[in-house]
Amino acid sequence: VTKKKSIKPVLTVVIMAIFILLFPILGFAVVAPLYVFFFMLVYDDKPQYILKKIIYALLISAVVYVLYVIVFDIRFPQIWR
């Protein structure tokens, strides 16, 4: 029996690299929801419910933002001044 190799670890590295590259350019508010959304696409075995994934990505990003900025008092870099 041969095991099918998964491309998911490679996609994880690619998504993280894109996040790191785009974060200073586009900022957290744009890049974080996309990051979460693409991770959900990669690791979800049922690719339907795209709207649900978009909503979850926005909510998760909002919660992370509130935790960092309000609870932990850690500021994200300002890209638009």
Side-chain angles (χ1 to χ4, degrees):
V1 176
T2 60
K3 286 188 175 183
K4 181 181 169 186
K5 290 191 177 187
S6 175
I7 193 167
K8 289 179 182 181
V10 173
L11 289 175
T12 299
V13 172
V14 170
I15 292 169
M16 291 173 82
I18 291 170
F19 175 80
I20 291 167
L21 291 172
L22 291 180
F23 185 84
I25 299 166
L26 299 176
F28 182 85
V30 175
V31 180
L34 293 172
Y35 179 77
V36 174
F37 175 74
F38 284 112
F39 261 101
M40 285 191 281
L41 283 181
V42 168
Y43 285 98
D44 189 8
D45 294 332
K46 301 174 207 138
Q48 67 270 23
Y49 307 119
I50 295 298
L51 182 60
K52 189 187 244 184
K53 287 178 179 53
I54 292 170
I55 293 169
Y56 284 159
L58 291 170
L59 289 174
I60 290 168
S61 299
V63 168
V64 169
Y65 182 83
V66 167
L67 280 174
Y68 272 82
V69 174
I70 295 174
V71 176
F72 301 137
D73 197 30
I74 299 173
R75 303 286 179 227
F76 290 113
Q78 296 291 323
I79 58 170
W80 296 302
R81 291 181 193 232

